[in-house]
Amino acid sequence: MGVRIDIAGLRQERVAVVPSPLAELGMALHALSESGHHPGLQGWATGVTARLDSHLADRMCEADFLWRSTFSDLFLPSAGVPGRATRPGATLAEELDLLDKLTDEQFVDAALEFTCALPYSAHGPAALADPGSRRRALELAAARGPQQLRFSERLLADPPRIRAWLRQFLEDCEEAFFAETWARLRQQLTADARHKSELLRRKGLAEALAAVSPAVTLDESAARITVDKLGDGRTATADGGLLLVPTSLGRPHLMVLHRYGWQPVLHYPVASAELTAPPSVEQLTLRMSALSHPVRMRLCRSLARSAFTTGELTQVHGMTAPEISRHLGVLKKAGLVTTRRRGRYVLHQLDVTVVARLGSDFLEGILR
């Protein structure tokens, strides 16, 4: 599992770490629509929502599927500009100009991503040109509800009109709340980009990616970056570059733009000092599986209260030593149980901190 980026032939100077005001506005809209994904932003979201003009709030709901259930690639338009080497603009206006450079076909396909109707990682027929793809997109939009269907019908009938509507909406969001938010976040994002760029220059891509997230790894021998996610995907830098775009509002989402023909982008949350590194998908699977067995659940009940030897656990639970050892082995492999030696005895105890994090770890793993 995971998203793989083939970087064969990629030159270091084609890797850029750049904040994107448009991508951050997209994350702001997502956080306003899905506050449950971002409990740490609920105060900010409540404040913004309270000040919103009712007309803008209604328009925000009109196309929220572009940022609520998916994060449309329209918020990273620099990746779609021909040449696959364009960087995000310094201002929202510059980024919206980049959005205007996308062809109608690119715009429509990216906007219809919420229907899951079109190929993403591979080349396929475009909805504007192919009747079958168009029909399928409308069928899937209808299944999502009348609002999505109306939007999709207008988009396919008159792309320039929807493009103008979206640009005006995003400009109104900037005036209403995002200019203030961006002024506060820009310094942090710029500092993070500068730090990652310095790591890239001095220590190479592997160190820079390790600083982005423990979920991102580089296999230099295979010339491949792997992002540990529950979904699958594949892309390549080919003759283009690689963009690393930090976000202050995006945690826990670590997103990879891997659309066919677009420049690959890692859209990553800036580090938070108080949070520990998230477990890999494999570790999370091991932990959830280890706890799914009723015997191991009962062992955890004992081990959460005190440290026990294997012999003591056999007495408490009425099982043989090999059976207890086998279940303890599963729990230890999953990182849920710690052991320490006291004289000739080995004591086992549940790591309650790890178990306490499982709920947030699970949520972060599936949202990553």
Side-chain angles (χ1 to χ4, degrees):
M1 280 191 182
V3 179
R4 293 165 292 284
I5 306 172
D6 182 352
I7 59 168
L10 176 67
R11 302 194 305 274
Q12 187 162 300
E13 62 268 21
R14 300 298 294 273
V15 181
V17 192
V18 189
S20 164
L22 180 54
E24 200 67 356
L25 174 52
M27 287 309 316
L29 290 168
H30 171 70
L32 290 171
S33 301
E34 281 289 2
S35 58
H37 289 190
H38 308 274
L41 298 177
Q42 286 185 354
W44 168 83
T46 300
V48 169
T49 303
R51 300 195 308 269
L52 274 186
D53 172 80
S54 59
H55 179 56
L56 181 59
D58 289 343
R59 290 159 64 204
M60 193 176 290
C61 295
E62 192 173 339
D64 67 351
F65 38 82
L66 294 178
W67 52 79
R68 180 191 287 271
S69 56
T70 61
F71 186 78
S72 175
D73 291 341
L74 294 177
F75 291 104
L76 288 162
S78 59
V81 175
R84 294 158 55 94
T86 302
R87 299 184 178 187
T91 66
L92 185 66
E94 290 177 16
E95 295 246 79
L96 294 177
D97 289 342
L98 292 175
L99 183 59
D100 288 341
K101 289 185 178 183
L102 299 183
T103 66
D104 281 350
E105 181 179 291
Q106 286 179 302
F107 184 93
V108 169
D109 286 357
L112 287 175
E113 184 184 338
F114 73 90
T115 69
C116 304
L118 303 168
Y120 188 85
S121 293
H123 183 60
L128 273 181
D130 181 70
S133 296
R134 183 190 191 97
R135 184 169 55 253
R136 178 63 175 154
L138 290 175
E139 288 173 355
L140 290 169
R144 298 280 182 112
Q147 184 173 296
Q148 286 91 328
L149 178 59
R150 285 194 298 270
F151 177 88
S152 300
E153 288 173 336
R154 293 199 303 269
L155 175 67
L156 289 164
D158 191 356
R161 181 182 176 188
I162 295 298
R163 297 180 73 150
W165 177 90
L166 181 62
R167 176 163 187 148
Q168 185 62 58
F169 167 72
L170 295 172
E171 288 173 342
D172 291 347
C173 286
E174 180 182 37
E175 182 178 349
F177 68 90
F178 184 68
E180 178 185 342
T181 300
W182 179 247
R184 179 170 54 84
L185 299 180
R186 179 177 54 198
Q187 185 174 355
Q188 179 193 24
L189 295 176
T190 301
D192 184 85
R194 188 182 303 117
H195 171 64
K196 301 293 192 301
S197 298
E198 186 65 12
L199 277 177
L200 179 66
R201 185 184 68 82
R202 295 179 56 200
K203 298 189 176 181
L205 183 57
E207 289 286 338
L209 292 176
V212 163
S213 169
V216 182
T217 55
L218 171 64
D219 184 340
E220 295 189 79
S221 62
R224 181 174 62 241
I225 296 168
T226 300
V227 184
D228 186 45
K229 291 173 70 74
L230 280 170
D232 285 307
R234 187 180 295 273
T235 187
T237 53
D239 57 350
L242 172 67
L243 279 176
L244 309 180
V245 176
T247 169
S248 289
L249 302 176
R251 188 178 181 92
H253 306 301
L254 170 62
M255 293 180 287
V256 189
L257 191 161
H258 53 100
R259 180 178 293 277
Y260 178 83
W262 290 42
Q263 182 178 193
V265 182
L266 283 174
H267 190 204
Y268 66 93
V270 294
S272 180
E274 70 276 9
L275 294 170
T276 58
S280 67
V281 171
E282 181 182 4
Q283 287 173 316
L284 186 58
T285 303
L286 278 174
R287 289 173 183 175
M288 301 293 281
S289 177
L291 292 175
S292 66
H293 196 287
V295 170
R296 291 194 285 273
M297 288 281 284
R298 290 196 296 272
L299 285 175
C300 286
R301 186 175 187 276
S302 299
L303 296 171
R305 289 162 170 75
S306 180
F308 285 85
T309 67
T310 301
E312 288 172 328
L313 290 171
T314 62
Q315 304 244 347
V316 171
H317 293 277
M319 299 171 64
T320 66
E323 287 175 319
I324 291 292
S325 294
R326 178 168 58 82
H327 287 298
L328 284 175
V330 173
L331 292 169
K332 283 190 282 188
K333 184 177 180 182
L336 298 170
V337 166
T338 61
T339 61
R340 70 178 189 273
R341 183 170 290 278
R342 188 178 65 196
R344 61 191 183 89
Y345 297 103
V346 175
L347 299 172
H348 312 282
Q349 190 159 19
L350 190 71
D351 190 330
V352 293
T353 303
V354 172
V355 177
R357 271 190 53 88
L358 265 179
S360 57
D361 283 344
F362 177 71
L363 185 61
E364 182 164 338
I366 60 176
L367 292 177
R368 185 184 299 159

